[in-house]
Each structure stands twice: as C-alpha cells, then as structure tokens.
Amino acid sequence: MRFFPIGLLLIFVSPANSADSAENPLRDLRIETGRNFGLVLGDLIRHEIHFGLDKPYRLQKNSLPWHGPLGEWLELREIDIAETDHENRTLYRLDILYQIFPAVREYESRQIPGLPLRIMSGGERLDSVTPETEVAITPLIPARTPDADVKIRPPIEPASIPLHAHRRTIATLGATILLILGYLAWRKDLLPFLQSPKSPFAAARSEIAKARRAGPDSPEYRNALLAIHRALNKTAGEIVFASGLEPFFRNHPAFAPMREKTGVFFRLSHEIFFTPTPNVEYADYNVRWLEQFCKEYHDIERGA
C-alpha cells in the first residue's frame, strides 16, 4: 500500500486558483492502492482516495468521471463515493475500480492519471488533481516472442475428485434408510407381499380400516365385527362361540393375554347382533377399538 501526504497537494492546485495553503480547504489527502506490479491484461486495480474538506466547501460529485477509457490502456469501471460529516470538516472516501485492457509485449511501467477534484463553496471554485500512481504491467507471453511462436495452451481439465469414500458413505446411508423404512412398513402392514397367506388377523385389519368412521348402527360396523369373528374362526379351525373361548385359549396359549378383551368383544358382538336395543357405550368400543383389538391379535400372531 502506498500513501501520499498532504504536502504533495501544493503541486496539484491549478494556477487558475492559486490560493495559498492556508486558504486551501483540502485536508489529509491519502491514496491507498492494492497490488501495483505483475499486472496483466484484464486485471482489476482498486484505489481508495481519502481526504477532508473544511466546511462549507464540498466536493462537486457530478464533476467526477464515472466510467470510460482513460487513455489507450486503462478503463475506469466504477467509482463509489462515501461522505461523512465530522465536526467542522466533511470526510470523503472514493472507491475506484480500474481495468487494464492492452496486451503488452514487454514489461512496462505506466501511470494511472490523477483524479480531478472540483471543490465548491457558493460561487467559489477550487480545482485539484490527485497524484498519479505508477503500476508495472507484465506480458502474458515471454518477452520478444514472435507471434508465429506463440502456442495456445489447451484448456486445463479439472482435477478429478475421488468419490470412493463418498460412495460408500452414501450407499451405507441409503441402505440404512431402506432398512428403517422397510421395518416401519412391515410393522404397519404396508408390505402385502411379506404378509403370510395364513394371517387371518392381517386380513381382518384391512377390512376394519375401511370402516373407521362407521357408527354402531351402520352395516360397516357390523362387517368389522364379522371380520374379527372370521379371523378367530380361521385361527381356531372351527366356529368359536363365547362358550368355547376356554378351549380356544388352551389350544392357542400364545393368545392367552387376549382372554379378557376377547370376552368383552363377544359381549359387544352379542349386544349388536342379538339385542333389539343394544346397550353399548360406543365411545369406548368404536371401530378404532376393534382395530386395536385386532392389531394386538395380529402382533401375537406374527410373533408366534
């Protein structure tokens, strides 16, 4: 980074406004530059110009060049102005972006021209110019190389990235997800091809699921009851009556934990099918209760 002290300003005040340093409102000028060597065709150069103006003097912003070529080798791309009031002074920061556009054949040193500053206060006008900045430009091809000897390099292919470790990680993650989803689907009976054809309670659950909103007087509710009766009959290999529950549990001891609920189910079924005015608290024995009842039988059935 290079800095230019305020003392250099005495050189840049135009003769048309030859005020002495005591009358000059420009204060603390400094220029901060980025890299100023090894520059090639197309490179961008950034400058920051800092200075202050004693009030009531202000920079006439619309007098600054905004963009366009500056000579045969340099282009002004953009300029941004930041202005801050500080006590009796206005502080300015000019962010300037240049671009180099000639392709040189030798190492060259060139001067970025100073930036003209027009300072106004009422009808009074002062013109100043910031110092020039020297930069070194480097050729893209070796110096003194004839055009016929310039060879165009082929495009550089991007380096390949080894993906073996990533593939293994993705494959492991994918297999884990599939196993978890398969297990959940199996638990929810969403995989019909994994269900045994000798699974009567699985079939009953599928029928009951179609009648989840059915009321106690609806045909759908009665069909749900019948579906469970068919599952019990198929499991026992004969028709199961309420009086035959004990032999059923002796022959199928795995279902013993369901003895009490099965007795409730048979009483519920008797009320619905054989009582003119069923005395049933439907809120306690709705279709979802039947579905849960059948699910518990099915879970034991699968684990047996």
Side-chain angles (χ1 to χ4, degrees):
M1 308 289 282
R2 302 199 303 172
F3 302 89
F4 292 83
I6 187 62
L8 292 176
L9 286 176
L10 300 178
I11 307 174
F12 305 111
V13 179
S14 66
N17 298 280
S18 55
D20 58 30
S21 60
E23 299 174 350
N24 188 354
L26 194 63
R27 299 289 182 264
D28 301 328
L29 173 68
R30 75 179 189 275
I31 301 177
E32 300 177 3
T33 67
R35 180 169 60 92
N36 61 353
F37 60 89
L39 302 171
V40 298
L41 170 68
D43 274 353
L44 298 174
I45 306 172
R46 293 189 178 274
H47 279 185
E48 285 188 11
I49 300 178
H50 300 260
F51 61 89
L53 289 176
D54 290 338
K55 295 180 179 180
Y57 290 96
R58 303 190 78 85
L59 176 67
Q60 189 175 27
K61 300 176 185 177
N62 59 8
S63 67
L64 293 171
W66 293 100
H67 57 80
L70 302 176
E72 62 178 9
W73 67 281
L74 188 69
E75 181 179 0
L76 175 62
R77 297 293 301 276
E78 61 184 50
I79 179 170
D80 293 322
I81 304 173
E83 178 180 335
T84 307
D85 287 333
H86 181 70
E87 297 178 351
N88 294 325
R89 187 172 295 176
T90 304
L91 304 180
Y92 291 90
R93 188 189 76 239
L94 309 182
D95 295 319
I96 309 172
L97 181 65
Y98 301 101
Q99 187 171 28
I100 297 173
F101 57 80
V104 300
R105 301 302 296 271
E106 304 284 345
Y107 293 96
E108 295 186 12
S109 178
R110 300 205 179 184
Q111 301 291 328
I112 295 179
L115 190 71
L117 304 177
R118 181 173 296 173
I119 302 167
M120 303 295 295
S121 175
E124 185 180 358
R125 165 181 161 181
L126 295 175
D127 290 330
S128 294
V129 181
T130 63
E132 295 181 339
T133 306
E134 183 177 345
V135 295
I137 306 177
T138 302
L140 290 172
I141 60 176
R144 302 182 183 84
T145 302
D147 290 342
D149 295 339
V150 175
K151 298 187 181 300
I152 304 299
R153 294 182 179 180
I156 300 175
E157 296 184 0
S160 59
I161 301 176
L163 299 177
H164 303 295
H166 300 290
R167 289 191 184 121
R168 286 195 296 269
T169 301
I170 292 172
T172 302
L173 180 61
T176 303
I177 292 174
L178 287 176
L179 286 173
I180 293 172
L181 292 177
Y183 173 75
L184 293 176
W186 175 73
R187 291 292 299 175
K188 296 291 184 180
D189 291 321
L190 299 178
L191 301 177
F193 57 88
L194 292 181
Q195 294 177 2
S196 169
K198 299 178 181 179
S199 179
F201 287 100
R205 285 187 66 188
S206 299
E207 292 186 46
I208 295 172
K210 300 175 184 177
R212 285 181 178 169
R213 297 182 181 275
D217 297 328
S218 66
E220 291 82 0
Y221 186 80
R222 293 169 179 263
N223 287 336
L225 294 172
L226 291 174
I228 296 177
H229 277 294
R230 285 194 294 270
L232 288 167
N233 294 341
K234 191 170 183 180
T235 301
E238 60 182 355
I239 297 176
V240 180
F241 297 99
S243 59
L245 287 180
E246 286 306 317
F248 172 79
F249 288 117
R250 282 198 304 271
N251 295 332
H252 301 85
F255 294 125
M258 299 299 297
R259 177 181 280 103
E260 182 178 350
K261 281 189 178 181
T262 306
V264 173
F265 167 75
F266 271 89
R267 289 194 295 273
L268 171 66
S269 178
H270 183 271
E271 286 281 330
I272 295 295
F273 286 108
F274 301 107
T275 304
T277 55
N279 183 20
V280 176
E281 291 293 337
Y282 180 69
D284 296 329
Y285 303 108
N286 56 19
V287 175
R288 291 190 177 275
W289 185 89
L290 297 179
E291 187 177 10
Q292 178 63 28
F293 173 75
C294 191
K295 177 183 180 300
E296 292 176 19
Y297 258 104
H298 183 209
D299 289 342
I300 297 173
E301 185 180 46
R302 283 191 300 182

